[in-house]
């Protein structure tokens, strides 16, 4: 009778110990995992560390106030999802994440999420409008940012389906940029239109 009782106590203690882990250490662990996970997606990058998924709790502890410098993958991805699609219904947040991850996987784009997001400059033209709109980049809606971080976590863990069919570009439905006619529409949502190069016309 004693071994099952001891095992029961151990099962009760382990979750408590996990809950008591230092939040700063958990955040650092999430950042480390994210850096490995982005290397898995990027082409021609050799991964020399164990590949581990980021937990939901770890992800939420990264950049908790939405004001950290844009220097690591999860923050850069979550802030992009937040600013491009916060308050938008449906799969738009996930679709924005898809575009960033598709670019990360493409040979024509940089090999880190932050470099993908910041490609260009902080003055137009740039790749993502929030990055070069001249406004502050700090989060103003905590609940929406929590959702954005969860979407970013799923994307980095490669647990997010690609709703965009390989899209590399998108724009708000209220505008029509000059480059839109050069690409193939993959999906249209309530807020955005998504595109990828037309492989057939490129051949």
């Amino acid at each position: 009778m004693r071994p099952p009782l001891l095992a029961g106590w151990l099962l009760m203690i382990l979750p408590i110990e996990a809950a008591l882990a230092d939040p700063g250490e958990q955040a650092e662990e999430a950042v480390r995992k994210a850096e490995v996970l982005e290397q898995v997606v990027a082409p021609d990058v050799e991964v020399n560390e164990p590949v581990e998924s980021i937990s939901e709790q770890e992800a939420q502890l990264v950049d908790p106030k939405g004001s950290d410098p844009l220097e690591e993958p999860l923050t850069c991805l979550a802030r992009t999802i937040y600013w491009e699609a916060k308050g938008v219904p449906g799969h738009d947040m996930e679709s924005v994440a898809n575009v960033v991850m598709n670019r990360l996987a493409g040979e024509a784009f940089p090999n880190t999420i932050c470099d993908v997001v910041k490609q260009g400059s902080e003055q137009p033209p740039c790749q993502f409008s929030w990055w070069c709109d001249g406004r502050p980049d700090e989060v103003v809606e905590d609940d929406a940012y929590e959702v954005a971080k969860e979407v970013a976590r799923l994307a980095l863990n490669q647990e997010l389906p690609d709703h965009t069919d390989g899209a590399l570009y998108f724009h708000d439905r209220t505008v029509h940029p000059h480059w839109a006619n050069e690409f193939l529409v993959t999906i249209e949502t309530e807020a955005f239109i998504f595109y990828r190069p037309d492989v057939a016309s490129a051949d």
Side-chain angles (χ1 to χ4, degrees):
M1 296 296 287
R2 286 186 185 233
L5 184 62
L6 179 60
W9 277 105
L10 285 173
L11 287 173
M12 289 174 61
I13 291 168
L14 287 174
I16 293 170
E17 287 180 349
L20 294 176
D22 179 70
E25 290 179 4
Q26 289 186 62
E28 287 178 14
E29 182 65 6
V31 168
R32 184 193 66 76
K33 289 178 180 179
E35 289 171 348
V36 175
L37 289 165
E38 78 174 346
Q39 292 172 0
V40 171
V41 175
D44 304 323
V45 177
E46 189 173 340
V47 178
N48 297 314
E49 298 181 58
V51 178
E52 303 171 69
S53 296
I54 305 166
S55 73
E56 185 173 353
Q57 181 176 349
E58 287 172 333
Q60 292 301 332
L61 291 170
V62 176
D63 187 26
K65 298 182 185 299
S67 58
D68 287 355
L70 296 163
E71 296 173 347
E72 55 82 22
L74 200 144
T75 297
C76 286
L77 182 54
R79 210 79 68 82
T80 300
I81 295 164
Y82 170 83
W83 280 116
E84 293 288 351
K86 69 182 175 70
V88 176
H91 288 303
D92 287 283
M93 276 189 162
E94 294 181 1
S95 298
V96 169
N98 293 151
V99 168
V100 176
M101 297 304 289
N102 290 342
R103 286 186 174 204
L104 178 64
E107 294 184 359
F109 295 93
N111 277 344
T112 71
I113 288 173
C114 288
D115 286 345
V116 165
V117 169
K118 298 176 184 180
Q119 191 175 15
S121 69
E122 286 193 73
Q123 303 297 323
C126 62
Q127 298 297 309
F128 294 91
S129 58
W130 74 274
W131 174 243
C132 65
D133 62 7
R135 299 175 186 171
D137 299 330
E138 289 77 17
V139 166
V140 294
E141 297 170 32
D142 293 343
D143 290 348
Y145 191 51
E146 286 182 13
V147 175
K149 280 200 283 188
E150 175 59 10
V151 172
R153 180 186 78 86
L154 293 171
L156 279 161
N157 287 346
Q158 297 189 54
E159 297 170 354
L160 193 67
D162 186 355
H163 305 292
T164 71
D165 191 22
L168 297 173
Y169 310 94
F170 70 99
H171 64 79
D172 191 281
R173 295 185 70 91
T174 61
V175 300
H176 187 78
H178 65 87
W179 51 262
N181 295 330
E182 301 172 17
F183 300 110
L184 181 71
V185 174
T186 60
I187 61 160
E188 297 188 34
T189 67
E190 189 171 332
F192 302 118
I193 304 176
F194 293 82
Y195 302 82
R196 61 176 165 80
D198 187 347
V199 178
S201 64
D203 291 342

